[in-house]
Amino acid sequence: AQKITQTQPGMFVQEKEAVTLDCTYDTSDPSYGLFWYKQPSSGEMIFLIYQGSYDQQNATEGRYSLNFQKARKSANLVISASQLGDSAMYFCACENQAGTALIFGKGTTLSVSS
Amino acid sequence: DTAVSQTPKYLVTQMGNDKSIKCEQNLGHDTMYWYKQDSKKFLKIMFSYNNKELIINETVPNRFSPKSPDKAHLNLHINSLELGDSAVYFCASSHSSRGRDEKLFFGSGTQLSVL
């Protein structure tokens, strides 16, 4: 069964620095997608970035990029030039085995300080 | 306009009561979901509907019953509420039920507290 592992319960970073949030996944599907969501303290779930397993390049969206290493089954989120507003919980996700829903990791709490 | 809206945002109730949470999406999506986020922030799929048809029904107590009157609405009814039902319930939608790049659009969540 598909599984997402986020091993960092909490990360701390200074403003303007880059930070990497780790995500490893376990899937037997040859084709799959990986997602990152942000959940600030206000509670909403915000989509950040998507990476397809057959995408030739690592995904980027503004200050967010994915360090996708298929052989290692890792899809780490890199946030460049951290801002105070980046303080939130971050979830990595992939499709379930049937491809009919997303399953989520346990999340990583990011705290950005000035 | 809010893409996925769910009501109420907060729901405080006594054990044993029956309550409903409503969800509506105006994105024209075919698929809608209910997720439960527990006190440790773990998100778990409960149900999904594709065009009013039940697709996923995870191991959820049968006190939870989803209802989809049309593809834009998916409501969640909970009977005989228990303390362990306290959580945040998220409604979400996606363009279709299958597809490797089907990102989910989430509602703002309903914080359910059972006393």
Side-chain angles (χ1 to χ4, degrees):
Chain A
Q2 268 70 344
K3 186 179 177 183
I4 292 281
T5 302
Q6 294 180 256
T7 57
Q8 307 154 313
M11 290 287 285
F12 298 87
V13 69
Q14 294 265 337
E15 258 187 311
K16 300 179 186 175
E17 291 183 351
V19 63
T20 298
L21 306 183
D22 293 344
C23 173
T24 58
Y25 58 91
D26 189 8
T27 177
S28 53
D29 286 340
S31 175
Y32 51 88
L34 296 149
F35 303 76
W36 278 91
Y37 281 81
K38 172 184 178 181
Q39 186 176 38
S41 58
S42 49
E44 69 269 31
M45 293 288 290
I46 302 166
F47 167 76
L48 294 179
I49 196 166
Y50 165 80
Q51 177 79 50
S53 59
Y54 282 107
D55 291 344
Q56 294 296 315
Q57 295 186 331
N58 287 346
T60 60
E61 289 285 351
R63 294 186 298 111
Y64 304 109
S65 60
L66 255 171
N67 182 359
F68 181 49
Q69 298 187 47
K70 198 170 176 178
R72 291 187 173 187
K73 293 192 173 180
S74 74
N76 299 339
L77 177 70
V78 180
I79 305 175
S80 62
S82 296
Q83 301 172 356
L84 294 177
D86 293 334
S87 294
M89 194 142 188
Y90 289 81
F91 292 94
C92 182
C94 71
E95 296 103 350
N96 62 1
Q97 197 151 12
T100 52
L102 293 187
I103 57 169
F104 289 82
K106 293 185 176 180
T108 296
T109 301
L110 176 65
S111 300
V112 181
S113 57
S114 55
Chain B
D1 274 347
T2 305
V4 182
S5 59
Q6 55 182 108
T7 54
K9 187 165 176 62
Y10 300 98
L11 189 50
V12 181
T13 188
Q14 299 284 334
M15 264 197 322
N17 283 352
D18 303 339
K19 290 293 178 185
S20 292
I21 307 171
K22 295 186 177 182
C23 181
E24 175 182 4
Q25 55 93 5
N26 63 5
L27 297 166
H29 286 168
D30 285 339
T31 309
M32 296 184 73
Y33 310 80
W34 280 109
Y35 278 83
K36 178 181 179 180
Q37 187 173 43
D38 64 22
S39 58
K40 295 184 178 178
K41 302 290 188 180
F42 183 56
L43 269 161
K44 187 173 179 184
I45 181 72
M46 298 174 70
F47 302 103
S48 81
Y49 271 75
N50 184 63
N51 208 1
K52 301 193 297 176
E53 183 181 340
L54 182 65
I55 300 294
I56 295 175
N57 183 353
E58 291 292 308
T59 50
V60 175
N62 56 15
R63 298 181 294 104
F64 290 78
S65 53
K67 285 192 171 48
S68 181
D70 55 60
K71 75 173 192 177
H73 296 84
L74 180 61
N75 304 322
L76 183 65
H77 189 75
I78 315 169
N79 290 327
S80 304
L81 277 155
E82 299 177 358
L83 294 176
D85 298 332
S86 295
V88 179
Y89 292 85
F90 282 99
C91 178
S93 73
S94 65
H95 179 69
S96 71
S97 63
R98 296 194 68 94
R100 296 302 172 191
D101 60 351
E102 288 293 345
K103 71 181 185 187
L104 301 184
F105 293 77
F106 282 86
S108 56
T110 295
Q111 171 84 56
L112 172 64
S113 299
V114 182
L115 308 178

